[in-house]
Amino acid sequence: MLLRSLLLSLVFTFAALPAAHAGFRVAGGLGLGTTSTSNEISEDEGPMTMLISVDYVYHSKLLLGFEHLRSLSMSPPASSNSFSGLYFQWYWNAVPTPYVTADKLNTNEIVFRDIGYFWGTGVGIAQSANLPDAQGKTSNAAGFYLSPRVGADLQLTNRMGVRGEFIMATTVIGTGQIMSMSLAGSLYFSFN
């Protein structure tokens, strides 16, 4: 219910704002990382993570979006821990933008075509779905999380770019504890 309310407020906010040149971006990527869950017992999952995000360039230095981060285990294959929520990224210089000619730019818009370094945080709901052990004890946990991050974006073509980021996500309210540390690389596609 809370996540749905946050998502609806994000959509209404986007509808009322003037569009920045980079507009919406969709990203997907993989990375290295580990996720630990603890309740009655503790379990780890890794060594990989998967990240999917949809974001919107609010203005030249601020990006707002929705994220879904999952842990991936190779042996045995599993993906039982997830983080889903809203996030923002603040760029030190500016959000890298698609390559456009000067006549297509607004006079009050910054165009930045270098590496854009950012910091930010996310907030949302985390949950795990691990099977109980032989004694019936579980590591399952759920709750609200915070996910501070740092990273960099680079626009490669008019529509495509790459992002590298370090994300540390941890539950702050809820049952049990879920904590994830990830170093992820993503490809993103811009829609003006």
Side-chain angles (χ1 to χ4, degrees):
M1 183 71 172
L2 177 64
L3 184 60
R4 184 175 60 178
S5 298
L6 288 171
L7 190 57
L8 284 174
S9 65
L10 186 67
V11 168
F12 289 130
T13 301
F14 289 157
L17 299 173
H21 188 73
F24 278 95
R25 303 190 314 175
V26 176
L30 292 172
L32 296 175
T34 183
T35 301
S36 301
T37 61
S38 62
N39 196 336
E40 298 169 321
I41 59 172
S42 296
E43 290 186 77
D44 294 330
E45 191 171 76
M48 298 186 71
T49 57
M50 175 188 71
L51 176 65
I52 298 171
S53 64
V54 177
D55 50 50
Y56 179 79
V57 179
Y58 178 72
H59 66 70
S60 299
K61 290 193 170 208
L62 180 63
L63 185 138
L64 303 168
F66 175 79
E67 67 181 346
H68 181 71
L69 176 68
R70 294 195 74 86
S71 59
L72 299 172
S73 180
M74 298 295 123
S75 179
S79 178
S80 58
N81 304 300
S82 67
F83 299 83
S84 299
L86 306 173
Y87 71 97
F88 81 91
Q89 291 176 181
W90 183 263
Y91 288 78
W92 284 303
N93 33 28
V95 178
T97 53
Y99 297 96
V100 294
T101 59
D103 60 331
K104 293 185 179 179
L105 292 175
N106 295 330
T107 57
N108 61 351
E109 188 171 352
I110 296 173
V111 176
F112 187 76
R113 295 187 180 125
D114 200 354
I115 297 173
Y117 299 98
F118 64 83
W119 63 271
T121 193
V123 62
I125 297 174
Q127 62 183 6
S128 60
N130 298 311
L131 293 174
D133 68 0
Q135 290 77 34
K137 294 185 178 180
T138 184
S139 66
N140 284 338
F144 292 98
Y145 75 89
L146 288 176
S147 62
R149 77 230 14 241
V150 295
D153 286 358
L154 176 63
Q155 192 79 25
L156 298 175
T157 67
N158 189 38
R159 297 274 185 213
M160 187 173 70
V162 292
R163 174 182 298 154
E165 58 190 318
F166 174 74
I167 304 171
M168 187 182 88
T170 185
T171 53
V172 291
I173 299 172
T175 302
Q177 177 75 29
I178 306 173
M179 183 172 182
S180 175
M181 297 183 106
S182 305
L183 184 60
S186 304
L187 278 176
Y188 64 82
F189 297 90
S190 300
F191 300 93
N192 307 52

